[in-house]
Amino acid sequence: MNEYMKNCDLAAIITALGGRQALQDLLDVGPSAISNYLARGELPQRAHAPVCEALRLRGYQVHPGSLEILGQTQLAGGTGPTTNFRSDRPAQRVLLIVGGGIAAYKALEVARRLQDHNVEVTGVMTTGAQQFITPLSLAALTASQVYTDLFSLTDEAEMGHIRLAREADLVIVAPATANLMARAANGLADDLATTILLATTAPVLMAPAMNPAMWQHPATAENVARLANRGIQFVGPTAGDMACGEDGVGRLAEPAAIVQAALNCLSADSQPDDLSGLHAIVTSGPTVEPIDSVRFIANRSSGKQGHAIASALAARGAEVTLVSGPVSLPAPANVRLVQVESATEMLAACEAALPADIAVCAAAVADWRVENASSGKLKKTGNGQPPSLTLVENPDILNSLSTHQLRPDLVIGFAAEASDLQDNARAKLARKGCDWIVANAVTRSDGSSVFNSDMNSASLITGETAIDWPMMTKAELAVRLVNHITDHMADRLQAATLRDLVSQSASNRT
Ligand code: C5P
């Protein structure tokens, strides 16, 4: 019969060990056992010795009887308290130039969200921008002075405009109006914004927003091309309803997409490379199953979600193999792209990419392919009879990776469901043998489809929990998923380190 130690402060022990997963792995028990211990406030007696040892190896002074944590000492030789898995880098500095467009208010959201990623934001506003939002709102959101004037004695005394331009790690222009881009393309320096753009040595990211006719105008197109040739990065504009009542391309990219693009620009330094050393396989896009050499069966997947996940994983330092069906998206930066067509090819590419630590199967793999697809072009018979096609089931890539002898540590699938989202996703999790499922509705309440959209909402279903993510850009959803992946991998790595330390210490004693 199990004996239990009563009244130990289990929550403190879990924190000190680095999380529930660490304790789970140390004791080789499942998550429900930890929940039971927590609910009862007790640990099995057999856990006493390894927990006590693990705490001491982490530099904690522990009461030998009650496991009460009495204090923390710094041990020599690297076995002291664990360092934070996320690196504590200094904040990076972004200069956010707000142009004078109706979308200027969205720059406030960009400023706010950048700060969630340990980025310090200093605002610069053109005269036009001040017609739409006040410097005070931007100053309040950035907790920093906002600069508006090229010839301000106070501003020059505090921070010369050249220093302002030089101290930034990235300059963002959002919204970038047609006028602001035209002035920048021509090297004008007739206000603070354009002077900074001329003086800065930092990368520049522009998020254009304007009326669709202005965006399409050859003058704007030429300016954008000139700026792009000089290395300026662009995010958006996107298509949709405009504030001016017209419809077309010209909307400011969503703030989350601008933030993601900014983080990508800063990526080498600003994002913690806490997945570095880990290999992730991501599947993306549709598969295309040939009927004959010219016709095929496919689906509406755009690959936007899978590509965004690959990009977010790479931005956190993972080595990423992106296995993609045919899509019209550029390859994300710092990713090894393997282009495939059919499900059979996709499986082969995934297996060839093993071993991996993480697999995210976001591709919309065709369930069936045509048996004996013709190598030529099927001809009409002339007797009015269409050819009969026999379908055979495709290999299940998610299931194959989940049951593979080189199974990645964390295998994540996607479920596009038309009804009973969470129930179906849970059933899929069990059936496929993966660890998590990201479940999204194929059709939304407003009737729009997830396919090809830049937006997504989803539930992350793990063994025990379901987290609902509201509608957001696919880029942001990718970042949220990658945050969870990072936390999970951190727990796994810490637990592995702990186990190594305990067994090393045990063998030292014998
Ligand atoms: O069962 P269903 O096909 O809807 O499962 C969706 C999940 O399974 C997705 O993660 C998809 O990428 C993956 N899948 C797969 N191979 C298949 C079919 C689906 O990897 N043949």
Side-chain angles (χ1 to χ4, degrees), residues 233-262:
Q233 305 273 323
F234 285 87
V235 50
T238 58
D241 287 342
M242 306 288 298
C244 56
E246 292 181 28
D247 193 29
V249 177
R251 277 169 65 94
L252 184 74
E254 287 304 319
I258 299 175
V259 169
Q260 182 59 47

Side-chain angles (χ1 to χ4, degrees), residues 20-90:
R20 286 170 65 128
Q21 186 77 48
L23 183 59
Q24 243 173 268
D25 288 16
L26 183 67
L27 302 182
D28 208 13
V29 295
S32 52
I34 306 291
S35 301
N36 286 340
Y37 302 159
L38 273 165
R40 296 199 302 246
E42 57 190 21
L43 265 179
Q45 201 67 49
R46 69 165 185 88
H48 182 276
V51 167
C52 189
E53 186 72 7
L55 288 169
R56 286 189 175 145
L57 284 166
R58 289 188 153 222
Y60 290 97
Q61 293 153 359
V62 187
H63 187 282
S66 66
L67 289 187
E68 187 188 347
I69 296 172
L70 305 168
Q72 201 179 17
T73 49
Q74 185 72 45
L75 298 183
T79 51
T82 42
T83 50
N84 230 348
F85 190 61
R86 290 167 198 276
S87 46
D88 293 325
R89 292 170 185 277

